[in-house]
Amino acid sequence: RREGRQVAEEEALAVLRLWGFGDVGSAKDGRLDNVLGLACDAAGAGGATPWSGAYPEVAQLLNRYLVERLPADAREFAWTSIRLERSGTDRIHREDDAVGPCVLAAFGDLAGGALSVWLDDAPEADRLGKINEKATVCLDMRTSLALVPGRCGRRLEPCAGERFTVAFFAHADFDRVPARARKECQALGTRYPAPGETFD
C-alpha cells in the first residue's frame, strides 16, 4: 500500500503458488487447511483459523486484492472467510458453511476453465450427487470476478496448466461468534458483516 498501487494479479498468483495446500477431499477437515479468516464448529464456536494467525499477510493481500477490484454495484459485499482452492477438473461443490453471495477470483492458466453455476440448486436437499448436468449459467473467469450464490452448486471446467481459485464468503455463523473473532477477521482485511445482517 505504501507504493500507492493495486496488488498485481501476478503477486497474488505468486503467493498462491507458495501455499501448502491441504487435502481438499474432505469439506469437514482437510478443506479447513485452506481457509483464512473465520471458521466455526457445529456449536458456533469459532475464530480466525490457525493459518490466519500464522500467515496474516496472505489474508491481508488477498482481501486487499478483492477490495481494490469490487465493482461499484458490489461495494457493499461483506465476507468473513477466504477459501483457497487448487484444482484441475473440479467436482461440483458449494460453500456449505456460507450465507449470502460468494465472490470468486481465478488465477493461473485460464485457457478454458469456465465457471459453471447451478442457480436452481437447493442446498437443503443435498442434491449435489443428482444435480442436472446442464448448468444454469457458465461464466468466463479469465476477465473478472464472479459473484454467485454461495450455497449453489458450482464447478470449474477443465483448463490447461495450473489454476487457483479464491472464494470470499460470509460464514453462516458470523453473528454467533464472540467479538474477539470479529476483530481477528477484521484485522485480516475482511469486510465483516454488520450484526444481524440478513443477506436478502
Side-chain angles (χ1 to χ4, degrees):
R1 189 175 298 275
R2 288 194 300 267
E3 299 178 30
R5 62 173 179 80
Q6 286 190 335
V7 174
E9 185 171 336
E10 294 76 13
E11 292 171 315
L13 177 58
V15 168
L16 293 170
R17 284 172 173 159
L18 292 173
W19 187 260
F21 283 86
D23 177 13
V24 298
S26 169
K28 292 183 179 178
D29 300 311
R31 292 188 77 196
L32 288 182
D33 290 346
N34 305 313
V35 173
L36 298 168
L38 184 65
C40 301
D41 61 22
T49 63
W51 303 109
S52 307
Y55 307 104
E57 296 86 355
V58 174
Q60 290 163 354
L61 181 140
L62 294 173
N63 283 324
R64 180 180 156 198
Y65 178 93
L66 175 63
V67 169
E68 292 172 343
R69 288 167 173 78
L70 281 173
D73 58 356
R75 292 294 183 189
E76 300 304 313
F77 174 70
W79 71 100
T80 65
S81 311
I82 309 171
R83 194 182 311 278
L84 310 180
E85 300 174 355
R86 178 183 61 187
S87 60
T89 302
D90 209 354
R91 57 186 172 80
I92 301 175
H93 66 285
R94 59 168 87 97
E95 300 298 339
D96 286 324
D97 48 1
V99 62
C102 172
V103 170
L104 301 172
F107 302 87
D109 186 349
L110 298 181
L115 175 69
S116 295
V117 183
W118 283 260
L119 295 176
D120 57 350
D121 179 29
E124 66 279 1
D126 195 23
R127 298 187 300 120
L128 285 182
K130 305 174 183 178
I131 201 166
N132 189 324
E133 184 60 26
K134 184 175 177 58
T136 308
V137 64
C138 196
L139 305 174
D140 185 351
M141 293 289 289
R142 294 174 296 178
T143 57
S144 64
L145 302 171
L147 179 68
V148 301
R151 300 193 68 188
C152 285
R154 68 173 190 266
R155 179 178 66 200
L156 284 167
E157 304 300 337
C159 73
E162 67 179 351
R163 176 180 54 205
F164 302 93
T165 308
V166 180
F168 301 85
F169 64 96
H171 196 286
D173 290 327
F174 76 91
D175 212 13
R176 298 174 60 191
V177 299
R180 167 190 54 79
R182 174 189 292 266
K183 291 179 180 178
E184 290 173 347
C185 295
Q186 289 174 327
L188 297 171
T190 66
R191 186 174 292 159
Y192 206 95
E197 188 158 343
T198 59
F199 296 95
D200 291 335

